Amino acid sequence: MTKWWAILAAIAGAIVLAIIATTPPMPATLAASAPQFSATRAMADVAVIARAPHPTGSAEDAAVRAYLGARLQAMGLEVSMPTGTMSAAAAKRLAVWRGHPAPTPPLVNVVAVLPGQDRALPAVLLMAHHDSVWGSPGAADDGAGVAAALETIRLIKAAGPQRRDLIVLFSDGEELGLEGARAFFANDPRRAHVGVIVNMETRGGGGRASMFETGSDNGAMMRLFAKAVHRPVSTSLSVFIYKKLPNSTDYTVAKKLGYPGFNFAFIGRPALYHSPLATPDALDQGALQDMGRQVLDLTRALLAAPTLPGTAPDRVFFDAFGLTLISYAVWVGWVLLAIGALGYGVAAFGRARLGDMARGSGMTPALLVGTGVLLYVGNLVSGADGKVNYYDRLAAIPRLEVQALLLCLAGAAAIWGLIAAARPGSAGQTGGMAAPLLLLGLFAQATAPTAAFPIIVPLLLGGGAAAIGRFAGDRAGTVASVIGAMLGIGYMLALGFQLIEAVGPAMPMVAAVPLALAAVLAAPLIPAVSRRTALVTAGVLVLLALAIALWVRLDAVAPSVAVYSSDH
C-alpha cells in the first residue's frame, strides 16, 4: 500500500506548524483594550525616536533624550539624566564613524523610577538603549526596544500602584561598546536597588521576538516566566548557544555582575541591522507586538511577585511553536531519551534484519557529513570564500535560507537513493538511522543537558510511534508516525530557519543536524523510490542551489549595508 498520503500529510502539517512558529502576531491597534500591548500605539514613539540617525553625542540623540524624558515625566516617573565619560576605545570608534577627530561627548543615560508600594523591595529594571549606530535611524535597534518599554510603562502605570519599584534605564553608547550600561552598573547608586532585569534588543527589523538569554541558575525565574507569559517564545538552547558566542548586549554587563534577568530580541529582516534603511516604515510591527506583549506579561508578574525568585538549577525549556512553553528539570531528559531508545528497540526486536540496521546506521552519518559538505561548498560558491561584507551577507540571508533548504533536500535525496531505496521504511533501517542520533543525544544530555532537547524530543516522538506500530498494528503505527513527523519535522523546519538566520552566513552546516532528525521521523513514511529518481532529484536540487549561490555572489552590494562599512 502506498504511503504517499502519509508523508504528504506529515509534511503539510509540519509546514503549517513551522509557519505558526516563525510568524509574528498581528499588531494590536489603537482600539485595543486598555490592558493590552499595542504596537500601533508604540509606533508613535518609534516614529519620533527613529526619524533620523542618532548616535551618541549627536544633536539628534539629544533630541531623542529630551523626548524620552518628557514622555516618562508625563507618565509620572521620577526622571534623571546622569552623565559619564566614555572609554578611549568608544571614543576611537566614534571618531572613525565621524571620519575626523572631535571632542569626545559625554555619555548621558536616561534613568526613571516608577515608585512601588513597598520601596524597600528589590526593583525591576526595564532596559533598552537610546543611541543608534552612525548612519542608521535605528527603528529596530533599539527604537523598538525603547518604544516597547514606554508602552509597557504606560500600561503598568494605568493599572495602578505596583508592589515594587520599576526602574527604567535607556542607556547611551551601547553601540560604542555598552558604555552607558557600564557606567550605570559601575557608578549609579540605583544599581543596588535592582533585583531583576528585562532587556530589549534587536538584530534586524522583524521576525519572532524571543527571550534568548537569562541569568545563571535560571530554574526559579523560568518557572515564573512560564506562568506569566502568554504564548512565549524562548528556548534553553538559545541560552546555551549565546553563552558561547562573542555577541553582547547591555545585559552582558549586568549578567557578569550576577544580576538575574531576561533578554529579548528579534533577528528577522536581517538586512535592516545597522542599516540606513532601518526606518519606522520598514520595521515589522508584528515583531514589536511580539516583543512588547511578552515583556509586558513578564514585567507585570515580576512587579507583583511578593518575593523575586532566587537561584535554582537551570531548566530545559522550549516553546511549542510559540503557543506554550514546555519546561522540565534536567534529569527528565534522561527519561525521555530512554523512552525513545526503548521505543525503537522494541519496534526492531525480533524482526529487524542486520543488514537493514547496518544500512540505516550508516545513513545518518552519511547524511550529516554529506549534507554538511554540500552546505559548506554552497556557501563558498555564494561568496564566503573570500573577504565579505558582514552586512551584505546579512542581506543575503533570505536567499541563503532557500539555498540551504535545497541543499538539505538534495543531500537527503542522494543518501536515500544510494543507501535506503532498496528497503524503505523497515523497522531495522529506521532503528539503525536513529542509533547514531541516540548516541548524539546521550552525549548532549551528558555534556549540555539544557541544549539536548532538539535531539531528544524528536527521538522520543519517533521511538514512540515505532512502538505503537509494533503493538497496535501498521495502521495505528502509520497514524502515530504521521503525527510524530508532523510535530518533529515542523519543529526542525522552524529550528533550521532560526539557525540560518542566526549563524547561516558563516556556518550553514548547522542545518544538517535538524535535517538528520527530520529524516529519521520521515523515514517510516517514505514509499519506495527508484535510485535513479532519487539521484536525479538530488542533482536538480543542487543545480538550483548553485544558481542561487551564484546570484548571491555576483549581485551588487546591498543598499542596506551599514554606512560605515567599507563597501557602502
Side-chain angles (χ1 to χ4, degrees):
M1 182 177 68
T2 182
K3 293 182 180 177
W4 280 114
W5 69 266
I7 187 62
L8 291 176
I11 291 174
I15 291 172
V16 170
L17 289 173
I19 291 172
I20 291 172
T22 56
T23 303
M26 292 294 292
T29 66
L30 291 173
S33 57
Q36 182 182 359
F37 185 94
S38 168
T40 304
R41 186 179 288 108
M43 282 301 298
D45 290 315
V46 174
V48 177
I49 296 166
R51 64 190 170 193
H54 46 282
T56 295
S58 66
E60 282 293 339
D61 196 40
V64 168
R65 287 198 308 272
Y67 173 78
L68 296 177
R71 286 279 282 119
L72 292 166
Q73 285 179 334
M75 288 189 284
L77 277 72
E78 305 163 356
V79 180
S80 64
M81 296 189 185
T83 61
T85 303
M86 70 174 63
S87 67
K92 182 177 179 181
R93 185 174 190 186
L94 184 59
V96 170
W97 283 353
R98 288 169 165 166
H100 57 81
T104 302
L107 297 166
V108 186
N109 287 334
V110 179
V111 185
V113 180
L114 179 64
Q117 293 172 324
D118 187 347
R119 306 207 65 180
L121 293 174
V124 178
L125 175 66
L126 270 185
M127 186 162 61
H129 65 89
H130 65 69
D131 63 309
S132 74
V133 295
W134 191 271
S136 175
D141 185 14
D142 198 18
V146 173
L150 290 172
E151 173 68 354
T152 296
I153 296 162
R154 184 190 70 82
L155 291 164
I156 288 171
K157 172 69 174 177
Q162 302 297 306
R163 185 185 298 271
R164 62 184 70 241
D165 286 0
L166 175 65
I167 303 175
V168 182
L169 169 60
F170 293 143
S171 67
D172 196 2
E174 191 274 350
E175 300 291 4
L176 295 172
L178 319 181
E179 295 288 295
R182 294 184 197 280
F184 178 88
F185 289 104
N187 303 313
D188 197 301
R190 285 161 290 201
R191 70 191 187 279
H193 190 37
V194 174
V196 63
I197 298 168
V198 180
N199 187 59
M200 288 156 284
E201 258 290 0
T202 71
R203 193 218 68 179
R208 293 307 302 267
S210 175
M211 198 286 290
F212 68 96
E213 183 185 22
T214 69
S216 302
D217 300 313
N218 65 29
M221 284 289 181
M222 285 310 303
R223 287 191 183 93
L224 181 146
F225 179 91
K227 291 178 182 178
V229 180
H230 177 63
R231 295 194 63 188
V233 182
S234 185
T235 77
S236 52
L237 174 65
S238 68
V239 174
F240 175 83
I241 291 175
Y242 198 77
K243 288 179 182 178
K244 309 298 181 182
L245 296 177
N247 307 56
S248 59
T249 70
D250 277 341
Y251 180 57
T252 303
V253 178
K255 183 176 178 179
K256 289 179 179 178
L257 296 173
Y259 288 90
F262 304 86
N263 210 351
F264 290 84
F266 51 81
I267 63 172
R269 300 189 183 182
L272 296 177
Y273 181 52
H274 287 185
S275 171
L277 306 183
T279 63
D281 288 341
L283 177 65
D284 178 0
Q285 293 188 34
L288 176 56
Q289 181 71 32
D290 208 24
M291 176 183 283
R293 65 174 185 80
Q294 295 182 76
V295 166
L296 176 62
D297 285 349
L298 177 59
T299 305
R300 280 173 169 161
L302 292 169
L303 288 170
T307 304
L308 290 176
T311 58
D314 288 340
R315 290 179 68 81
V316 181
F317 56 89
F318 58 95
D319 63 276
F321 308 104
L323 301 175
T324 189
L325 196 75
I326 296 172
S327 177
Y328 53 82
V330 164
W331 64 265
V332 175
W334 291 111
V335 177
L336 301 181
L337 185 62
I339 293 172
L342 182 63
Y344 281 113
V346 300
F349 183 75
R351 60 176 188 171
R353 300 182 182 182
L354 184 60
D356 288 345
M357 294 184 67
R359 186 181 299 111
S361 63
M363 275 188 67
T364 299
L367 188 60
L368 285 167
V369 174
T371 306
V373 169
L374 281 177
L375 290 163
Y376 178 76
V377 172
N379 204 42
L380 293 181
V381 174
S382 74
D385 58 330
K387 183 179 179 181
V388 299
N389 182 297
Y390 171 72
Y391 299 100
D392 189 47
R393 295 296 285 178
L394 289 181
I397 281 179
R399 286 174 289 173
L400 296 177
E401 286 172 333
V402 176
Q403 175 185 312
L405 177 61
L406 291 172
L407 291 175
C408 283
L409 293 174
I415 298 302
W416 189 265
L418 291 171
I419 300 178
R423 283 175 55 80
S426 67
Q429 183 171 279
T430 302
M433 290 178 66
L437 293 172
L438 287 165
L439 292 176
L440 181 60
L442 185 68
F443 175 77
Q445 178 65 24
T447 59
T450 59
F453 73 87
I455 301 170
I456 292 173
V457 173
L459 294 173
L460 173 68
L461 293 171
I468 289 172
R470 177 65 184 267
F471 293 114
D474 288 345
R475 186 179 297 273
T478 298
V479 172
S481 293
V482 168
I483 295 172
M486 187 183 301
L487 294 170
I489 296 174
Y491 195 89
M492 290 302 113
L493 284 172
L495 177 61
F497 173 82
Q498 292 156 357
L499 287 173
I500 295 297
E501 279 201 332
V503 298
M507 296 177 59
M509 301 76 72
V510 296
V513 176
L515 171 67
L517 290 160
V520 170
L521 293 170
L525 303 174
I526 299 176
V529 179
S530 71
R531 176 169 294 180
R532 183 177 183 278
T533 298
L535 294 179
V536 169
T537 300
V540 171
L541 292 169
V542 168
L543 289 175
L544 290 173
L546 290 178
I548 293 174
L550 290 173
W551 177 19
V552 173
R553 185 184 190 95
L554 300 175
D555 203 12
V557 174
S560 60
V561 300
V563 300
Y564 55 82
S565 66
S566 59
D567 297 318
H568 188 272

